[in-house]
Amino acid sequence: MAGEQGGPRGFQLVDEAGDAPLAEMSFGTLVISLASSALVHLGVAPEPGTAAPGPPDLPLARQTIDILEALKRKTRGNLDAEEEALLEQTLHDLHMRFLAARRS
């Protein structure tokens, strides 16, 4: 409900049906969200609303990886060890997947 604390500016975070709170936004949630988008663009994860991955779109995958790289640069020195490790591991995995997709 509006007015209850939980989300930005006091908005309650709820799912589309409006009945269950969604996970609280965090740095990790942002990284995972961007990584999921990159995996869709790499043709590894299914596109939303489908059961199977679509064809790779390497320019969009590269752009999403670049966003994560910019986030890494802009947050340097401001992340805790867990957040930094998540970002590093995620970027490493995405770089490897991108190179593999480019070779295919």
Side-chain angles (χ1 to χ4, degrees), residues 27-71:
F27 184 79
T29 304
L30 175 63
V31 170
I32 297 301
S33 177
L34 288 167
S36 297
S37 179
L39 291 172
V40 168
H41 298 314
L42 287 168
V44 174
E47 295 183 29
T50 68
D57 186 333
L58 295 183
L60 281 178
R62 179 76 253 169
Q63 182 181 50
T64 307
I65 294 167
D66 288 346
I67 291 168
L68 283 164
E69 288 287 355
L71 193 59

Side-chain angles (χ1 to χ4, degrees), residues 6-94:
R9 298 188 181 102
F11 290 100
Q12 179 66 31
L13 301 173
V14 295
D15 70 5
E16 289 179 9
D19 47 20
L22 296 174
E24 192 132 346
M25 182 51 71
S26 67
F27 184 79
T29 304
L30 175 63
V31 170
I32 297 301
S33 177
L34 288 167
S36 297
S37 179
L39 291 172
V40 168
H41 298 314
L42 287 168
V44 174
E47 295 183 29
T50 68
D57 186 333
L58 295 183
L60 281 178
R62 179 76 253 169
Q63 182 181 50
T64 307
I65 294 167
D66 288 346
I67 291 168
L68 283 164
E69 288 287 355
L71 193 59
K72 177 183 171 183
R73 283 191 310 276
K74 294 294 187 177
T75 58
R76 185 172 287 125
N78 293 309
L79 302 177
D80 63 34
E82 188 176 301
E83 292 168 333
E84 192 171 338
L86 173 65
L87 186 53
E88 287 291 333
Q89 292 167 0
T90 300
L91 279 167
H92 176 75
D93 180 64
L94 291 174

